[in-house]
Amino acid sequence: MRTARKFPAALAAAGLALTTLTACGGGASGAGASDDANGKIKIMVGGLDKVIYLPARLTQQLGYFEDEGVHVTLLTEPAGVQATTSLVSGDVQGVVGFYDHTLDLQVKGKQVESVVQLAHAPGEVEVVSNKAAGELTSPKDFKGKKLGVTGLGSSTDFLTKYLAVKNGVQTHEFTPVAVGAGQTFLSALQQGSIQGGMTTDPTVAQILDKNLGKVLLDMRTPEGSQKALGGPYPSSSLYMNTDWVNSHKETVHKLANALVKTLKWMSTHTPEQIAAKMPADYAQGGKKLYARAIKDTLPMFTEDGVMPADGPATVERVLKAFNPNLKNATVDLKKTYTTEFVKKAG
């Protein structure tokens, strides 16, 4: 379920086709070529217009994939859980989504690893509608509430459940509602279909600008992550099937080069300069509001693509707090990420 509404499969497929974006560079050959018949790398993003995944589209806009000589097609899904499904089914070679899915997949027998860690904080914000603000003042008040998440089984779903359990509310005592992001989230909040929910910029900026709600918990900075989750929470990343990584190291190295170059570029440019490089239709609330959304989210990103040392342990602790699949399972964290490529980048 992608949003609160169910759309016909044909319409969903058409929407996906319309949001396909391609960056073409020089041909990749030999071991570095994709298994795709056209020699292209397909990467699914859990929402291309979300600021938390901005480095993927920005890398394309800056021409860095092309500079590395790789053909990259970026596809988009509204939630990370759908993006992960595309990877497991073999439809794409990589996903730009939350690192926590690599742990969840490992206990399900799928070996996936983060090859570029784009962020060391979730970038997520728990918001509450103005109408419910009096009765929903912290995660302790989640009981009996309908709370928006991008998708069931998504990282927003994971984090919402953790915040509930951490604050004495069991996962069956509230109702997660899949409302996507952007306009579908705004509508659900405005219509009262949800009392609050977890989302990212630019949706957060639009909620505040339209005075539809307020911030309950902010995890867009490492400090916010520490306060809410007890440590750094590596989130946005490029993750891929480990077998594919090991058999296509040249291509993965090129992808890492391009993305790390983008992270460094972001660290030396203003939010306004970053916004100016992005597609105009990403700034749905206007250029000024979009730049503000980028400014508020920038602290979540790494500058070198390296996994924070204690990040994986934080993610494991968070997931084990509520996820029955992981609670008693042994997770080999060293197999959920690699720094091989980013440490050679540049």
Side-chain angles (χ1 to χ4, degrees):
M1 186 174 183
R2 294 184 183 176
T3 65
R5 300 176 181 177
K6 293 183 178 179
F7 294 95
L11 181 58
L16 181 59
L18 288 173
T19 51
T20 300
L21 304 161
T22 307
C24 296
S29 59
S34 164
D35 290 333
D36 185 85
N38 295 319
K40 295 180 180 179
I41 305 299
K42 289 183 286 187
I43 297 176
M44 184 68 76
V45 184
L48 261 173
D49 58 350
K50 295 178 184 177
V51 180
I52 58 171
Y53 299 137
L54 180 146
R57 185 67 164 109
L58 182 58
T59 301
Q60 187 178 63
Q61 295 293 100
L62 292 171
Y64 291 162
F65 288 132
E66 183 178 349
D67 289 348
E68 290 295 326
V70 287
H71 298 273
V72 175
T73 300
L74 296 178
L75 305 169
T76 187
E77 281 281 9
V81 62
Q82 282 94 13
T84 299
T85 299
S86 296
L87 179 68
V88 172
S89 65
D91 293 335
V92 297
Q93 285 75 48
V95 167
V96 171
F98 268 41
Y99 161 74
D100 51 23
H101 289 291
T102 68
L103 280 72
D104 189 52
L105 287 169
Q106 188 183 111
V107 299
K108 294 175 180 176
K110 307 292 183 181
Q111 195 57 57
V112 173
E113 62 186 14
S114 165
V115 296
V116 182
Q117 194 57 48
L118 303 172
H120 51 185
E124 303 283 354
V125 177
E126 185 72 27
V127 299
V128 57
S129 70
N130 290 330
K131 186 177 181 179
E135 58 184 280
L136 182 51
T137 61
S138 81
K140 293 180 181 180
D141 302 321
F142 280 1
K143 187 174 181 179
K145 302 297 189 297
K146 292 182 179 179
L147 303 173
V149 297
T150 53
L152 301 182
S154 67
S155 295
T156 52
D157 191 21
F158 290 165
L159 289 172
T160 301
K161 287 176 178 175
Y162 173 74
L163 291 174
V165 171
K166 180 186 177 185
N167 288 276
V169 180
Q170 299 304 305
T171 57
H172 67 272
E173 293 182 312
F174 71 93
T175 305
V177 183
V179 293
Q183 189 55 51
T184 52
F185 190 102
L186 296 173
S187 297
L189 197 67
Q190 192 170 24
Q191 294 168 9
S193 303
I194 56 174
Q195 285 80 54
M198 190 172 292
T199 190
T200 62
D201 277 311
T203 306
V204 176
Q206 292 177 49
I207 290 170
L208 299 179
D209 184 62
K210 296 175 183 293
N211 195 29
L212 298 179
K214 57 188 65 177
V215 172
L216 191 67
L217 200 64
D218 193 337
M219 295 178 285
R220 288 176 290 189
T221 66
E223 295 78 15
S225 178
Q226 180 71 41
K227 183 177 180 180
L229 307 173
Y233 196 91
S235 56
S236 307
S237 65
L238 170 63
Y239 60 84
M240 313 178 89
N241 287 310
T242 300
D243 286 345
W244 197 92
V245 171
N246 291 336
S247 60
H248 297 81
K249 288 195 173 187
E250 181 185 349
T251 298
V252 178
H253 181 59
K254 291 177 179 180
L255 293 171
N257 276 349
L259 287 167
V260 170
K261 190 175 180 181
T262 297
L263 291 171
K264 293 184 183 299
W265 188 93
M266 289 168 60
S267 71
T268 59
H269 289 76
T270 67
E272 290 76 15
Q273 289 172 322
I274 296 171
K277 289 291 184 180
M278 299 298 286
D281 60 351
Y282 281 27
Q284 293 184 8
K287 292 181 179 179
K288 186 176 291 187
L289 191 64
Y290 185 52
R292 187 193 311 167
I294 292 174
K295 179 181 179 181
D296 290 339
T297 306
L298 274 179
M300 73 176 283
F301 295 111
T302 67
E303 293 184 16
D304 54 10
V306 176
M307 175 69 74
D310 46 354
T314 302
V315 173
E316 181 182 28
R317 175 174 52 76
V318 167
L319 294 182
K320 285 193 171 186
F322 68 87
N323 191 324
N325 293 327
L326 279 103
K327 193 168 186 177
N328 299 311
T330 299
V331 180
D332 189 343
L333 293 177
K334 291 182 179 179
K335 291 183 178 180
T336 60
Y337 70 96
T338 177
T339 58
E340 175 186 352
F341 304 98
V342 292
K343 287 192 173 180
K344 295 177 181 177

